[in-house]
Amino acid sequence: MTSKAQNSEAHETTDHNVIQKWAEERGGKPATVKATEEDGHAGILRIDFDPPDEALDRISWDAFFEKFDESGIAFLHQDRTKDGKLSRFHKFVRH
């Protein structure tokens, strides 16, 4: 496997620092899906990129990681595309 192929692989993590750094390097902000919020608490988590998605509410990293930890999920992400460009591919998966 070439190093380019290795870089395009997805990685799973629950490390808050890794997740925040990955998102911020790509201009991503922590967010929740508006329709899933309950009593002011975050619902389904997302990373929102500009321009802001109207279906999302941006939240603090603290609120994001509180919901992240309670949900028992992990963050699956790709650092680079196969051609070496910065990737925004990510999703939340059951841990």
Side-chain angles (χ1 to χ4, degrees):
M1 194 181 298
T2 68
S3 71
K4 275 190 182 179
Q6 289 172 341
N7 287 339
S8 68
E9 291 177 358
H11 306 281
E12 187 176 304
T13 188
T14 58
D15 185 306
H16 294 187
N17 293 326
V18 171
I19 296 165
Q20 186 172 349
K21 183 175 186 250
W22 182 93
E24 289 177 347
E25 285 176 347
R26 291 154 178 80
K29 307 277 192 250
T32 183
V33 177
K34 286 180 185 179
T36 65
E37 296 172 344
E38 290 184 31
D39 300 322
H41 296 288
I44 296 172
L45 297 177
R46 295 286 185 260
I47 301 292
D48 192 20
F49 298 95
D50 286 332
D53 185 326
E54 291 182 16
L56 302 178
D57 271 336
R58 290 189 176 178
I59 58 176
S60 70
W61 281 112
D62 287 340
F64 179 91
F65 287 123
E66 182 179 337
K67 179 66 176 187
F68 180 84
D69 291 341
E70 334 176 314
S71 299
I73 56 177
F75 185 71
L76 186 70
H77 64 285
Q78 181 184 41
D79 292 326
R80 301 258 171 208
T81 61
K82 285 185 181 180
D83 61 1
K85 293 180 182 170
L86 207 57
S87 175
R88 284 189 176 176
F89 170 79
H90 69 284
K91 65 182 179 176
F92 297 95
V93 295
R94 287 276 159 219
H95 181 63

